[in-house]
Amino acid sequence: MDTKHCAVNGWVDAIPVPGPRHTVTFDLVVRPADIDALDDDAPDTVITCTSGDPRITHELLNGIQPGDLLRATGTLVQPPTPGEHARLTVDALEVLDTPLAPVLREMVLDRYGDYVVIFDGDTDAVPVFTAHGQWVGLADNPDAIATLIDIHERVNGGDA
């Protein structure tokens, strides 16, 4: 089995996962330095990393998020079978960069007292429900939510 001590820079693909005997496993997506020379559809290299160092496992489980750019240093073991991921046993870890805060593009629930509204980035209309799930109506835009709630309270006696 071919092993090599090296440092690898790559992006974390998914949240690191705790493993057996106080270890943690995560995948690094590595792009070659000469990425411009490769075809647009050339696959990225994925290296499966593991560590049993308590400091590294703590950082991976509590501070690392998908999209973080890391430098992982350790012993690289080439895969025994072509097509499998290389494995890196990490003994040093450095965070090189973190991604920008994600922009919400999905639906978001929000509370207005006894009412729940659903904001959707794809439309201005805002569905409004009571906190108990009763349909109140559809506000044409976020500015019309208060008017819709006010009308509902006048018609229904003020109790949501």
Side-chain angles (χ1 to χ4, degrees), residues 100-106:
L100 297 174
V103 176
L104 295 175
R105 299 188 193 282
E106 306 277 329

Side-chain angles (χ1 to χ4, degrees), residues 76-95:
L76 182 68
V77 177
Q78 295 299 322
T81 309
E84 290 183 3
H85 297 164
R87 293 177 312 206
L88 180 69
T89 303
V90 179
D91 54 34
L93 187 70
E94 179 183 357
V95 178

Side-chain angles (χ1 to χ4, degrees), residues 107-108 117-128 135 137-145 148:
M107 289 189 273
V108 176
V117 299
I118 303 171
F119 293 105
D120 185 346
D122 295 333
T123 180
D124 285 338
V126 182
V128 181
W135 173 250
L138 185 65
D140 292 333
N141 58 57
D143 294 333
I145 295 170
L148 186 62

Side-chain angles (χ1 to χ4, degrees), residues 11-22:
W11 285 270
V12 177
D13 188 39
I15 296 173
V17 179
R21 296 179 298 280
H22 307 290

Side-chain angles (χ1 to χ4, degrees), residues 135-158:
W135 173 250
V136 173
L138 185 65
D140 292 333
N141 58 57
D143 294 333
I145 295 170
T147 304
L148 186 62
I149 291 173
D150 185 48
I151 292 169
H152 183 266
E153 288 183 350
R154 277 191 266 141
V155 170
N156 293 300

Side-chain angles (χ1 to χ4, degrees), residues 6-10 28-30 47 49 70-74 76 88 96:
C6 64
V8 178
N9 294 349
L28 276 183
V29 177
V30 180
I47 298 176
C49 301
L70 305 179
R71 174 172 291 138
T73 305
L76 182 68
L88 180 69
L96 301 176

